Amino acid sequence: MTDPDVVVLRQKIHGIEGSDYAEILRERLPDREVALARTPAEEREYLSRARVATGFTAEEDDLAAAENLELFACVYAGTGHLPREAFEEHGVAVTNASGVHGPNIAEYVVGSMIGHARGFPRAQRQKQRREWRSYPTTEVYGSRVAVVGLGAIGETIVDRLSAFDVETVGVRYTPEKGGPTDEVVGFDRIHEAVADAEYVVLACPLSDATEGLVDGDVLRTMRSDAVLVNVARGRVVDTDALVSALRNNRIRGAALDVTDPEPLPEDHPLWGLSDVTITPHNAGHTPEYFDRVADVLTENLERLAAGEELRNRVF
């Protein structure tokens, strides 16, 4: 049996099978042996012989026997679930899938902004009632947008918004890094960032610095006609404070792909607020996911062969 160059571990993302990912890699890498592990036993066997593995995670016991493994390409952007010490102990580099969600989540954000500006949620409610009644709308064009988090997703959001001639302010942990927005500030200046923004977009990771970042105080600073769009994590927002702000017209609305708690209970008050759109944490869903993950991995195989720094290396 030939030792595989790459082993695709068992996985499903957005309803797409790991076998589809393996087929994509075979098309990209015709000169390399790509193996698909379908059972735990096959994972252990292939990991013991492969130079590169890609998937959600790998068990510590399997890593101990993975004598040839040089790279683990995680198909998630987050790697906090991985046994980091085990990877480091066995000298295995780890990369993530940072950036693969940029196009699809940016579309979700822009779509949410347009939907709220043009009153699409209200139009849907009126349609269900067969009610022909005009209503006022606004525009995204020329507005001010605060984007909290300027990683790969935040930067793609800003890029897509450039067509709308908006004014942008970015909020990030290290403002000295700058960014693609017209202005960049730190988390300590979030009130300045949101005070004049018609749209506040949350695209930051959950951390000690961002948990509860958008609390009742920040919501009071936001404009009464502002819309909050959250594609980060539910706990970045104080949910009780958000419900209160919406009920009392302190902000105009919210588009939530993530909530706290999650899943959102059937009896939660957010469900009953007409100015809130809710999706079940699926802004990242795209049939292009494995294609984009494959872009990162194929590039890194070339870099690995050349002894160059790996793209998206996390440890």
Side-chain angles (χ1 to χ4, degrees):
M1 183 182 294
T2 304
D3 288 345
D5 296 295
V6 180
V7 56
V8 177
L9 305 181
R10 293 173 298 152
Q11 56 198 284
K12 296 182 182 71
I13 295 181
H14 308 331
I16 310 172
E17 297 280 351
S19 56
D20 294 337
Y21 182 24
E23 191 57 37
I24 290 169
L25 289 173
R26 289 178 182 130
E27 292 175 1
R28 302 278 190 93
L29 305 166
D31 298 327
R32 296 177 185 265
E33 180 70 23
V34 178
L36 172 65
R38 296 169 298 175
T39 67
E42 287 185 353
E43 285 187 340
R44 288 191 294 271
E45 173 64 21
Y46 286 131
L47 279 170
S48 70
R49 297 187 288 113
R51 295 182 60 232
V52 176
T54 180
F56 297 143
T57 190
E59 300 297 329
E60 293 188 40
D61 290 345
D62 295 341
L63 288 174
E67 297 180 357
N68 298 324
L69 194 64
E70 299 178 35
L71 169 64
F72 180 79
C74 182
V75 294
Y76 281 169
T79 55
H81 63 289
L82 296 178
R84 176 168 184 159
E85 291 184 359
F87 279 106
E88 291 178 340
E89 178 183 348
H90 296 290
V92 179
V94 174
T95 59
N96 67 7
S98 177
V100 301
H101 279 312
N104 42 311
I105 292 185
E107 285 188 5
Y108 177 96
V109 169
V110 174
S112 296
M113 292 168 62
I114 294 173
H116 278 266
R118 305 309 301 174
F120 291 161
R122 178 170 178 172
Q124 184 63 30
R125 294 194 303 273
Q126 291 188 186
K127 179 189 174 186
Q128 291 173 346
R129 298 193 298 264
R130 300 172 184 256
E131 176 185 350
W132 183 278
R133 181 183 180 186
S134 182
Y135 51 84
T137 64
T138 60
E139 296 182 358
V140 174
Y141 183 84
S143 60
R144 178 176 170 87
V145 183
V147 180
V148 182
L150 291 178
I153 292 173
E155 289 191 349
T156 307
I157 291 168
V158 174
D159 176 73
R160 300 303 189 266
L161 287 173
S162 62
F164 295 87
D165 198 24
V166 298
E167 178 186 358
T168 56
V169 54
V171 185
R172 70 186 312 171
Y173 184 73
T174 50
E176 61 273 11
K177 288 184 177 180
T181 49
D182 298 311
E183 181 185 1
V184 180
V185 301
F187 289 136
D188 59 336
R189 294 175 59 191
I190 189 170
H191 286 270
E192 297 174 40
V194 306
D196 296 318
E198 286 98 328
Y199 300 93
V200 176
V201 179
L202 306 179
C204 54
L206 180 65
S207 66
D208 290 341
T210 61
E211 184 168 3
L213 180 68
V214 179
D215 56 12
D217 202 26
V218 169
L219 289 163
R220 280 190 293 273
T221 298
M222 289 171 58
R223 295 168 49 141
S224 60
D225 62 349
V227 174
L228 178 72
V229 182
N230 191 3
V231 292
R233 287 293 184 270
R235 283 159 52 199
V236 174
V237 179
D238 182 327
T239 301
D240 291 342
L242 175 61
V243 170
S244 177
L246 291 162
R247 281 175 167 170
N248 292 284
N249 294 319
R250 297 193 191 104
I251 64 172
R252 178 157 62 97
L256 309 174
D257 185 54
V258 290
T259 59
D260 178 30
E262 190 175 305
L264 196 64
E266 293 182 8
D267 60 350
H268 198 279
L270 279 172
W271 288 116
L273 298 176
S274 61
D275 46 5
V276 176
T277 54
I278 299 172
T279 49
H281 204 149
N282 71 333
H285 281 221
T286 172
E288 306 300 322
Y289 192 90
F290 279 138
D291 271 298
R292 293 174 185 156
V293 172
D295 288 340
V296 178
L297 179 53
T298 53
E299 179 181 339
N300 275 336
L301 287 174
E302 294 179 3
R303 294 189 177 203
L304 190 66
E308 299 174 352
E309 182 64 27
L310 298 175
R311 174 182 169 186
N312 286 3
R313 181 165 183 171
V314 288
F315 52 85

